[in-house]
Amino acid sequence: PEPEPARPEVDLAFDGDVAIVTIDRPKALNALSSSVLEALDDAFARIADAAASVRGVLVVGAGGRAFVAGADIAGMAGATPEEGRRSAELGHRVAARIEACDAPVIACVDGFALGGGLELALACDFIYATDASSFGQPEVRLGLIPGFGGTVRLPRVVGPARAKELIYSGRRIGIDEAVEAGLVVRRFADREALLAGARETVAQIAQNSPVAVANAKRVLVGAAGRSTDEAVAIEVGGFAEAFGTDDMREGVAAFLEKRSPGFSS
Ligand code: CAA
């Protein structure tokens, strides 16, 4: 008999103006093999093609136990430094795609977000999570270090000292500590509430100018990690650019005329 066609490990669905990216490899707690990373890269390329109609992206893990439990450890046995480099570069390519996505990307974490899984969540604009979630960079327990941006983005979000403590200890933190650290911006009782909350946020975003939201994201992403002078110059550039947009003329006119704006769609 013909072999069964492989089940897609990443599903992309569009629901109105929301794109939902589901990592669906529950038997390995959604671990990021190179085929999952390639599929994520492809999903975000398709979202970029549909950019005009997407106002928010939710990234979720299937199976109910994990967002993503890390890079795929099974594929690491016997791997060479060159293979390690290629794996990291692929992870960074996915992160760059997420950061280049015009619409905000919300990591919706329900369960484990570990190693490359936490790094994937950190490449998203912000993290929403359920009470059942846990977070960590356990790579040093494997003789590794974070490879998909953990040393870069975790300190930006939780501060360098806390990032060092988490990366050196490899310990897992629960939702209370993750919220307290600013890693998770909103917590929810369960998955259903999490997805409803994330959709509500996308609905709020969708009331604003899509051009302005994309502009704000470009500036925030572009300025991250730069010197104050460079970051300010990037903001000034984005602010100036906004003055050349129809959405800015419409938004300001609507305010002055005391009516709702009709932004570009
Ligand atoms: N890669 C590959 N397979 C994984 C995996 C991973 N990261 N995490 C879990 N799995 C697999 C397990 O091997 C197991 O498979 P089998 O049923 O075939 O044995 C299955 O998923 C279920 O996992 P457990 O039986 O271990 O479940 P548990 O409830 O006992 O423990 C866990 C859950 C604490 C998350 C544990 O699975 C775990 O510690 N996973 C690894 C976490 C980790 O170290 N992540 C970092 C990876 S390295 C990395 O990400 C590098 C980078 O920065 C890019």
Side-chain angles (χ1 to χ4, degrees), residues 27-29 31 65 69-73 114-116 119 138-139 146-148 172:
K27 281 190 185 140
L29 301 182
R65 287 202 63 215
D72 188 39
I73 300 170
L114 301 176
E119 294 169 295
E139 287 88 347
F148 296 170
R172 269 200 328 254

Side-chain angles (χ1 to χ4, degrees), residues 113-257:
L114 301 176
L118 176 52
E119 294 169 295
L120 176 69
L122 286 162
C124 299
D125 288 278
F126 46 85
I127 304 174
Y128 282 3
T130 65
D131 289 347
S133 299
S134 61
F135 305 82
Q137 298 283 175
E139 287 88 347
V140 293
R141 296 184 179 200
L142 300 163
L144 285 169
I145 69 163
F148 296 170
T151 68
V152 178
R153 294 190 185 87
L154 186 62
R156 285 186 194 149
V157 174
V158 305
R162 201 188 295 246
K164 287 174 174 173
E165 192 247 14
L166 288 171
I167 290 170
Y168 301 159
S169 68
R171 73 187 178 90
R172 269 200 328 254
I173 61 171
I175 189 71
D176 290 337
E177 196 174 341
V179 169
E180 196 252 321
L183 184 58
V184 168
V185 299
R186 278 183 68 188
R187 70 188 284 175
F188 299 88
D190 55 33
R191 188 182 182 89
E192 203 188 335
L194 166 72
L195 296 178
R199 282 168 181 275
E200 214 174 276
T201 298
V202 174
Q204 270 169 6
I205 291 167
Q207 291 179 8
N208 304 325
S209 155
V211 178
V213 172
N215 187 353
K217 176 164 175 174
R218 259 195 315 279
V219 168
L220 281 154
V221 168
R226 305 232 188 205
S227 71
T228 302
D229 283 353
E230 287 171 327
V232 163
I234 290 170
E235 188 189 74
V236 169
F239 188 73
E241 190 183 302
F243 282 80
T245 64
D246 291 341
D247 275 9
M248 180 272 185
R249 274 182 288 281
E250 169 61 10
V252 170
F255 177 84
L256 295 174
E257 291 160 21

